[in-house]
Short mmCIF file of all heavy atoms in Angstrom, two decimals:
data_model
loop_
_atom_site.label_atom_id
_atom_site.label_comp_id
_atom_site.label_asym_id
_atom_site.label_seq_id
_atom_site.Cartn_x
_atom_site.Cartn_y
_atom_site.Cartn_z
N GLY A 55 14.31 28.28 -52.26
CA GLY A 55 15.33 27.30 -52.65
C GLY A 55 14.76 25.94 -53.18
O GLY A 55 15.22 25.41 -54.23
N ALA A 56 13.74 25.50 -52.48
CA ALA A 56 13.04 24.25 -52.97
C ALA A 56 12.32 24.50 -54.32
O ALA A 56 12.26 23.64 -55.13
CB ALA A 56 12.08 23.71 -51.91
N TYR A 57 11.71 25.66 -54.48
CA TYR A 57 10.98 25.97 -55.67
C TYR A 57 11.87 26.05 -56.84
O TYR A 57 11.50 25.59 -57.92
CB TYR A 57 10.19 27.34 -55.45
CG TYR A 57 9.40 27.62 -56.72
CD1 TYR A 57 8.21 27.01 -57.02
CD2 TYR A 57 9.77 28.67 -57.53
CE1 TYR A 57 7.48 27.33 -58.13
CE2 TYR A 57 9.06 29.06 -58.64
CZ TYR A 57 7.86 28.34 -58.94
OH TYR A 57 7.09 28.73 -59.99
N HIS A 58 13.12 26.65 -56.70
CA HIS A 58 14.04 26.75 -57.76
C HIS A 58 14.99 25.57 -57.93
O HIS A 58 15.72 25.44 -58.86
CB HIS A 58 14.85 28.06 -57.59
CG HIS A 58 14.07 29.24 -57.81
ND1 HIS A 58 13.52 29.63 -59.02
CD2 HIS A 58 13.77 30.25 -56.95
CE1 HIS A 58 12.83 30.76 -58.88
NE2 HIS A 58 13.01 31.15 -57.58
N GLY A 59 14.83 24.62 -56.99
CA GLY A 59 15.58 23.31 -57.12
C GLY A 59 17.05 23.45 -56.83
O GLY A 59 17.85 22.69 -57.29
N ASN A 60 17.44 24.46 -56.06
CA ASN A 60 18.88 24.55 -55.60
C ASN A 60 19.00 24.53 -54.13
O ASN A 60 18.04 24.72 -53.43
CB ASN A 60 19.56 25.73 -56.29
CG ASN A 60 18.91 27.05 -55.92
OD1 ASN A 60 18.21 27.13 -54.95
ND2 ASN A 60 19.12 28.02 -56.83
N LEU A 61 20.22 24.56 -53.58
CA LEU A 61 20.46 24.52 -52.14
C LEU A 61 20.90 25.88 -51.61
O LEU A 61 21.28 25.95 -50.45
CB LEU A 61 21.51 23.44 -51.83
CG LEU A 61 21.15 22.00 -52.19
CD1 LEU A 61 22.28 21.07 -51.95
CD2 LEU A 61 19.91 21.56 -51.42
N ILE A 62 20.82 26.89 -52.41
CA ILE A 62 21.24 28.19 -51.93
C ILE A 62 20.33 28.74 -50.70
O ILE A 62 20.82 29.27 -49.77
CB ILE A 62 21.26 29.19 -53.07
CG1 ILE A 62 22.33 28.76 -54.06
CG2 ILE A 62 21.60 30.58 -52.56
CD1 ILE A 62 22.34 29.59 -55.33
N GLY A 63 19.05 28.44 -50.86
CA GLY A 63 18.15 28.89 -49.77
C GLY A 63 18.49 28.15 -48.50
O GLY A 63 18.46 28.76 -47.40
N GLN A 64 18.76 26.87 -48.53
CA GLN A 64 19.08 26.12 -47.32
C GLN A 64 20.48 26.59 -46.78
O GLN A 64 20.60 26.69 -45.49
CB GLN A 64 19.23 24.61 -47.63
CG GLN A 64 17.82 24.00 -47.75
CD GLN A 64 17.23 24.08 -49.16
OE1 GLN A 64 17.74 24.86 -49.98
NE2 GLN A 64 16.20 23.39 -49.45
N ALA A 65 21.40 26.89 -47.64
CA ALA A 65 22.62 27.44 -47.18
C ALA A 65 22.52 28.77 -46.39
O ALA A 65 23.07 29.00 -45.33
CB ALA A 65 23.64 27.55 -48.29
N PHE A 66 21.68 29.72 -47.02
CA PHE A 66 21.44 30.98 -46.32
C PHE A 66 20.67 30.77 -45.00
O PHE A 66 20.83 31.47 -44.07
CB PHE A 66 20.67 31.91 -47.26
CG PHE A 66 21.58 32.70 -48.23
CD1 PHE A 66 21.33 32.55 -49.54
CD2 PHE A 66 22.61 33.48 -47.77
CE1 PHE A 66 22.12 33.23 -50.42
CE2 PHE A 66 23.32 34.14 -48.63
CZ PHE A 66 23.21 34.05 -50.01
N THR A 67 19.74 29.78 -44.97
CA THR A 67 19.05 29.48 -43.75
C THR A 67 19.88 29.07 -42.70
O THR A 67 19.76 29.45 -41.48
CB THR A 67 17.96 28.48 -44.03
OG1 THR A 67 17.04 28.98 -45.06
CG2 THR A 67 17.18 28.15 -42.73
N ILE A 68 20.89 28.16 -42.96
CA ILE A 68 21.90 27.78 -41.93
C ILE A 68 22.62 29.01 -41.40
O ILE A 68 22.95 29.16 -40.16
CB ILE A 68 22.84 26.72 -42.47
CG1 ILE A 68 22.07 25.40 -42.70
CG2 ILE A 68 24.02 26.56 -41.58
CD1 ILE A 68 22.80 24.34 -43.40
N PHE A 69 23.02 29.94 -42.31
CA PHE A 69 23.68 31.15 -41.87
C PHE A 69 22.79 31.97 -41.01
O PHE A 69 23.25 32.52 -39.98
CB PHE A 69 24.11 31.94 -43.16
CG PHE A 69 24.77 33.20 -42.81
CD1 PHE A 69 26.04 33.22 -42.27
CD2 PHE A 69 24.25 34.39 -43.07
CE1 PHE A 69 26.77 34.45 -42.04
CE2 PHE A 69 24.81 35.63 -42.73
CZ PHE A 69 26.13 35.54 -42.26
N ILE A 70 21.49 32.12 -41.31
CA ILE A 70 20.61 32.86 -40.56
C ILE A 70 20.39 32.27 -39.15
O ILE A 70 20.36 32.88 -38.21
CB ILE A 70 19.18 32.98 -41.26
CG1 ILE A 70 19.31 33.89 -42.46
CG2 ILE A 70 18.15 33.46 -40.35
CD1 ILE A 70 18.08 33.95 -43.38
#
Side-chain angles (χ1 to χ4, degrees):
Y57 181 74
H58 292 294
N60 58 20
L61 297 176
I62 295 173
Q64 284 85 350
F66 277 122
T67 300
I68 290 173
F69 180 71
I70 288 172

